[in-house]
């Protein structure tokens, strides 16, 4: 997801939340870094009315937590368990649509720049298939979640080799594209799609991201920059019935049940 970091985090009604006394020092460091205030230890997220979200600091790492009655559970980056681990083991390997869209085939593992990294799940899939992946995330809080997840997984005997193929840049994707050398072979974009009131209830992760960063208003511009910098192709992940970015017709698309990949080919991949 691309996030507009021009909005101060304090305006997003976000606070740090140490889960125990042992976490207070780390919470203070992050509060100073992000210029946020700190909730007292023992705060009940469901009882808060004037704070929309908490960045919790605890034994399981960092997590984003919505507040208020019936708030969903915390969202954290975890490359070792849950849906991410299940997909690594049973997700279909190089037969997955994302692998086909990126151009993975026998003997070909392109260098990929994921300019809308979000929680890093697609980057992890591609790195697990052997690609070197540069992740770019310009929302500081989301980048911290990613950094925390990478750190906790780096020394795991099963996934450490995958994590070693993932790098993180916190900042604007446009700036990274201007400075990158060499240029990425493939650029991958998964911009936040504007929420429709008619759509079904979204996952808690997407609901949280919409609350935190809103829609990606500059996605069309980012596609144009990506097309100017990518060596072989640009891949855009979209909801199945969503319009193309910038009304640009892709070279071809791969469509699934709920989503699709629009592929813009620039030259044949070696």
């Amino acid at each position: 997801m691309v996030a507009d970091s021009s909005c101060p985090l304090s305006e997003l009604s976000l606070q740090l939340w140490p889960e125990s006394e042992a976490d207070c020092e780390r919470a203070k460091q992050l509060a100073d870094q992000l210029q946020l205030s700190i909730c007292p230890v023992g705060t009940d997220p469901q009882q808060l009315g004037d704070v929309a979200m908490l960045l919790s600091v605890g034994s399981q790492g960092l997590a984003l937590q919505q507040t208020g009655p019936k708030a969903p559970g915390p969202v954290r980056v975890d490359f070792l368990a849950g849906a991410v681990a299940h997909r690594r083991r049973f997700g279909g390997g190089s037969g997955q649509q994302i692998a086909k869209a990126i151009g993975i085939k026998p003997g070909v593992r392109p260098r990929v720049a994921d300019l809308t990294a979000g929680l890093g799940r697609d980057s992890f899939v591609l790195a697990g298939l052997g690609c070197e992946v540069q992740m770019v995330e310009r929302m500081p809080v989301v980048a911290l979640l990613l950094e925390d997840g990478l750190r906790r997984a780096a020394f795991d005997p099963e996934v450490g080799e995958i994590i070693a193929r993932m790098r993180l840049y916190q900042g604007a994707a446009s700036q990274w594209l201007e400075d990158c050398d060499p240029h990425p072979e493939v650029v991958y974009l998964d911009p936040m799609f504007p929420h429709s009131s008619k759509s079904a209830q979204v996952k808690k992760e997407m609901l949280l991201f919409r609350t935190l960063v809103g829609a990606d208003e500059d996605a069309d511009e980012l596609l144009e920059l990506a097309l100017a910098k990518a060596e072989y192709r640009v891949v855009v992940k979209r909801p199945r019935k969503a319009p193309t970015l910038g009304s640009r017709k892709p070279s071809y698309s791969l469509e699934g049940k709920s989503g699709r990949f629009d592929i813009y080919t620039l030259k044949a991949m070696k």
Side-chain angles (χ1 to χ4, degrees):
M1 295 118 201
V2 180
D4 186 358
S5 60
S6 62
C7 178
L9 292 175
S10 58
E11 295 182 10
L12 297 172
S13 191
L14 173 68
Q15 292 188 9
L16 267 295
W17 175 36
E19 295 181 11
S20 71
E21 294 292 344
D23 304 310
C24 287
E25 183 58 32
R26 173 61 171 154
K28 185 179 184 303
Q29 293 172 355
L30 291 174
D32 292 342
Q33 176 182 339
L34 300 171
Q35 298 184 337
L36 296 174
S37 57
I38 302 179
C39 282
V41 174
T43 296
D44 183 352
Q46 295 192 352
Q47 301 301 316
L48 289 175
D50 56 348
V51 179
M53 285 174 289
L54 298 173
L55 177 60
S56 66
V57 183
S59 59
Q60 297 183 60
L62 303 180
L64 273 175
Q65 170 73 62
Q66 287 183 278
T67 64
K70 299 182 180 179
V75 173
R76 60 172 39 88
V77 173
D78 189 349
F79 297 116
L80 302 178
V84 174
H86 186 273
R87 186 177 179 184
R88 176 173 62 86
R89 295 187 179 99
F90 309 110
S94 58
Q96 299 175 75
Q97 276 201 328
I98 188 173
K100 296 176 181 178
I102 291 295
I104 290 175
K105 52 188 176 182
V108 178
R109 294 296 187 274
R111 288 180 288 102
V112 181
D114 181 355
L115 301 186
T116 53
L119 296 176
R121 291 174 180 172
D122 286 342
S123 289
F124 184 72
V125 170
L126 296 174
L129 295 173
C131 295
E132 297 286 334
V133 183
Q134 174 66 61
M135 299 181 293
V136 180
E137 177 54 57
R138 67 184 182 184
M139 187 66 185
V141 171
V142 179
L144 277 173
L145 291 178
L146 262 176
E147 182 181 51
D148 179 67
L150 292 169
R151 178 186 55 78
R152 286 185 284 107
F155 300 102
D156 183 86
E158 287 192 36
V159 306
E161 184 178 351
I162 298 174
I163 299 300
R165 289 192 286 269
M166 301 168 68
R167 297 174 304 279
L168 175 62
Y169 171 86
Q170 193 276 303
S174 57
Q175 186 62 56
W176 185 86
L177 281 171
E178 288 296 329
D179 297 339
C180 66
D181 183 22
H183 290 175
E185 293 178 326
V186 176
V187 170
Y188 179 73
L189 302 174
D190 179 15
M192 180 71 74
F193 190 64
H195 178 57
S196 170
S197 59
K198 296 181 180 180
S199 66
Q201 176 66 34
V202 296
K203 293 181 179 179
K204 66 178 181 180
E205 291 92 345
M206 293 302 100
L207 184 61
L208 185 145
F209 269 103
R210 287 194 177 113
T211 302
L212 184 64
V213 305
D216 291 335
E217 304 295 345
D218 62 347
D220 293 351
E221 177 185 352
L222 188 54
L223 172 61
E224 296 303 319
L225 289 171
L227 289 169
K229 293 291 186 177
E231 185 174 352
Y232 293 124
R233 65 177 60 181
V234 176
V235 178
V236 182
K237 185 178 182 179
R238 301 293 280 159
R240 188 169 63 87
K241 296 184 178 181
T244 59
L245 287 187
S247 300
R248 254 191 182 269
K249 184 179 179 180
S251 305
Y252 64 99
S253 298
L254 297 176
E255 190 170 302
K257 292 182 179 179
S258 60
R260 72 172 195 272
F261 294 97
D262 291 339
I263 297 96
Y264 299 82
T265 57
L266 302 171
K267 66 178 181 181
M269 188 176 296
K270 298 179 182 179

